[in-house]
Amino acid sequence: MAVLKVRKYGDPVLRRRASEVGEITPEIRKLVDDMVETMYDEVGIGLAAPQVGIALRLVVIADDETRDVRPLVNPVIVDRSGERTAEEGCLSIPGIFALVNRAAWVRVEARDLDGQPVTIEGRDLLARVLQHEIDHIDGVLFIDRLDPLTRDRIKRKIKKEGLPEGTRHNAFAL
Ligand code: ZN
């Protein structure tokens, strides 16, 4: 397994709509292993393939209690309910945190690494991680979900100060 370089805000791969994963090849399995290692190295609880430069619809999600990891291939949100606002960060936008409003509960359908259909339901933090990572494979970043004033303020701050290099995240980052 290898720790991959996490792509940062400004990298065009983060803005592409990623392609569906076809057959689960050994390369896909290796990519998942590397994404898991990268996520742990970055102290994240979720990671999407575009964040390591691969424009595929593939995400890994860590259970915040057990630390078990679930790879989700071609995940789709099929149902959602409620609303929650909580602070969110992103491994691709280090040092930036903001309150983001999202559904409180989601149901996601995907495939596992055996190609079998899986359904995962999550509320609160898990729901947030699922929505954040699935946004990534659509080329959407959490700052896109903010009100325009807050988003512009963050964009100006990044433009002026850049993003911190090599910082360790001790807050919720995806
Ligand atoms: Zn992210």
Side-chain angles (χ1 to χ4, degrees), residues 46-48 51 89-93 132-133 136 140-142 173-174:
L47 194 70
Q51 291 183 278
C90 179
L91 297 174
S92 296
I93 319 177
H132 181 112
E133 301 310 338
H136 269 305
V140 174
L141 299 171
F142 83 93
L174 304 163

Side-chain angles (χ1 to χ4, degrees), residues 42-162:
E42 295 272 352
V43 204
I45 53 176
L47 194 70
Q51 291 183 278
V52 292
I54 309 292
L56 285 175
R57 305 186 77 77
L58 180 63
V59 308
V60 294
I61 305 283
D63 187 296
D64 56 316
E65 281 166 16
T66 64
R67 299 294 270 166
D68 282 345
V69 178
R70 291 187 76 161
L72 298 174
V73 177
N74 301 332
V76 177
I77 296 173
V78 294
D79 201 3
R80 63 179 78 216
S81 70
E83 275 187 39
R84 271 300 177 283
T85 300
E87 186 166 76
E88 207 166 297
C90 179
L91 297 174
S92 296
I93 319 177
I96 302 289
F97 299 91
L99 292 170
V100 184
N101 188 39
R102 293 193 185 270
W105 173 88
V106 292
R107 178 185 292 136
V108 171
E109 290 179 359
R111 287 195 293 142
D112 64 18
L113 287 184
D114 297 318
Q116 297 302 310
V118 289
T119 301
I120 176 168
E121 291 180 11
R123 67 174 60 252
D124 297 330
L125 179 59
L126 179 56
R128 182 166 298 274
V129 176
L130 287 164
Q131 290 169 88
H132 181 112
E133 301 310 338
I134 291 171
D135 267 356
H136 269 305
I137 59 176
D138 286 329
V140 174
L141 299 171
F142 83 93
I143 58 172
D144 302 336
R145 302 274 182 204
L146 305 175
D147 66 88
L149 272 179
T150 309
R151 185 170 58 238
D152 288 350
R153 183 173 53 74
I154 288 173
K155 284 184 173 175
R156 276 201 308 274
K157 179 178 153 68
I158 295 172
K159 207 169 181 180
K160 195 168 150 222
E161 302 170 14

